[in-house]
Amino acid sequence: YPLCALSPTTTHLVFCTFAFFTNLIVMMSLTIAGTAVLNSLVADLSPELAAMLLASVIGGYTLIGGLGATFYVSYFNTALIFVLILMLVVEVFYNPFENPENPFGSSESVFEFIACWKAPEENMGNKGGSYLTFFSSGGLVFGIVNIVGNFGTVFCDQAYWQSSVAAKPLQGVWGFISGGLTWFAIPFTLATTMGLAYLGMSSAQGSPLLTEEDVMKGLAAPLVAQKLLGTTGEYAMIFLILMAVMSTGSAEVIAVSSIVIYDVYQAYICPFKPDLKDGQCILCSKYLRKQKGDEDAQLC
């Protein structure tokens, strides 16, 4: 049923519902993924305590700093995330400190290890049972699901809209374009590098290091960091996960707060200046442009 055919109130409530559930799903995904990684890195840490720690960290500094803290801390978090990603990439492909636990040290060695390791062709649909092929039915399905899901998240997530509204139009456009291009560096470095390193290490051992269930939980990257860098890798992954969850989680908390305050409370419970007419400034109640029949009216 087309939304344009609905009444304005109904349309607004529909969009508010979609936005709220989008924020809820994103926040749940972040919490579950972060909890799984923390459980794999910290001994004897219960999932409940890990989830409460993440919620306390996110809620604490968001409550104190508000939207400003979300913006400023996101800059610091992103910078630290890129530093940690570069550290992991250098360790996998260059092995600068000649770590004996690192079987790689170059892209050629990574390729050789993975070329010797066959994929479960019946489950993944990889052509020739190779992890190095681009002909993969499982990869195609994964790509379609991510494209559809991410488009829905971007369009409905209030966290993106509040960032664009808070910026000037020109800076906002270039900020989103540059941010979207820069974002590709994260999956193309962290996910690809750690995924290939995990496959290479499994090939070097002769058997998978993790079960399929653990791989689906996203534990391949923490395992590789732990194997290659030891305690340093464990702390690097903990900080990386905390920075990512804090940055995105705080934006989601502010987004839900914006929906509750501006789209529910102010719109239906306690409207701000309910007598305001079309064309009047929301702050000073003066008209923004001259009106017919009232040419001498004072403008905003």
Side-chain angles (χ1 to χ4, degrees), residues 19-221:
F20 175 76
F21 278 105
T22 299
N23 296 134
L24 181 63
I25 292 172
V26 172
M27 195 64 203
M28 290 173 61
S29 301
L30 286 171
T31 305
I32 293 173
T35 300
V37 174
L38 289 178
N39 282 337
S40 68
L41 295 174
V42 181
D44 301 326
L45 180 65
S46 66
E48 294 81 5
L49 180 58
M52 289 302 298
L53 287 174
L54 291 176
S56 300
V57 172
I58 295 171
Y61 88 86
T62 306
L63 177 64
I64 296 172
L67 186 59
T70 299
F71 288 153
Y72 291 123
V73 174
S74 293
Y75 290 132
F76 171 77
N77 290 357
T78 304
L80 183 58
I81 287 173
F82 274 99
V83 170
L84 296 175
I85 290 175
L86 289 175
M87 182 183 71
L88 295 171
V89 171
V90 170
E91 175 63 28
V92 171
F93 289 110
Y94 294 98
N95 193 10
F97 302 106
E98 297 183 357
N99 181 7
E101 299 294 330
N102 187 350
F104 311 120
S106 66
S107 57
E108 290 80 6
S109 60
V110 174
F111 175 83
E112 291 173 359
F113 276 110
I114 297 177
C116 299
W117 189 247
K118 293 295 183 181
E121 186 177 0
E122 65 278 1
N123 296 332
M124 301 180 63
N126 287 20
K127 186 176 182 181
S130 173
Y131 281 108
L132 301 173
T133 180
F134 279 90
F135 193 93
S136 172
S137 59
L140 178 63
V141 173
F142 178 79
I144 294 174
V145 170
N146 271 269
I147 290 174
V148 174
N150 290 339
F151 266 112
T153 302
V154 170
F155 290 144
C156 296
D157 196 344
Q158 182 67 20
Y160 293 97
W161 292 107
Q162 68 186 13
S163 300
S164 61
V165 171
K168 295 180 180 179
L170 180 60
Q171 285 79 3
V173 169
W174 285 110
F176 271 90
I177 292 175
S178 59
L181 294 175
T182 307
W183 178 85
F184 281 101
I186 296 177
F188 286 165
T189 51
L190 180 65
T192 304
T193 300
M194 304 305 276
L196 294 177
Y198 168 75
L199 294 175
M201 293 175 67
S202 297
S203 176
Q205 179 177 280
S207 62
L209 296 174
L210 294 172
T211 63
E212 186 175 347
E213 182 181 357
D214 290 335
V215 173
M216 295 300 294
K217 290 180 180 179
L219 302 183

Side-chain angles (χ1 to χ4, degrees), residues 211-293:
T211 63
E212 186 175 347
E213 182 181 357
D214 290 335
V215 173
M216 295 300 294
K217 290 180 180 179
L219 302 183
L223 176 68
V224 172
Q226 186 181 41
K227 292 286 186 180
L228 298 183
L229 295 173
T231 305
T232 304
E234 294 177 359
Y235 281 112
M237 287 304 303
I238 289 176
F239 278 110
L240 197 152
I241 294 299
L242 283 177
M243 295 300 103
V245 173
M246 283 171 58
S247 181
T248 308
S250 62
E252 299 300 324
V253 172
I254 295 293
V256 173
S257 302
S258 301
I259 295 172
V260 173
I261 294 173
Y262 295 107
D263 292 297
V264 177
Y265 179 78
Q266 183 174 306
Y268 301 106
I269 299 176
C270 184
F272 179 69
K273 293 186 177 181
D275 298 329
L276 201 67
K277 297 179 181 178
D278 188 24
Q280 288 181 321
C281 176
I282 193 173
L283 297 177
C284 65
S285 301
K286 298 177 182 178
Y287 283 102
L288 300 174
R289 56 185 60 86
K290 292 183 178 180
Q291 304 293 313
K292 292 183 179 180

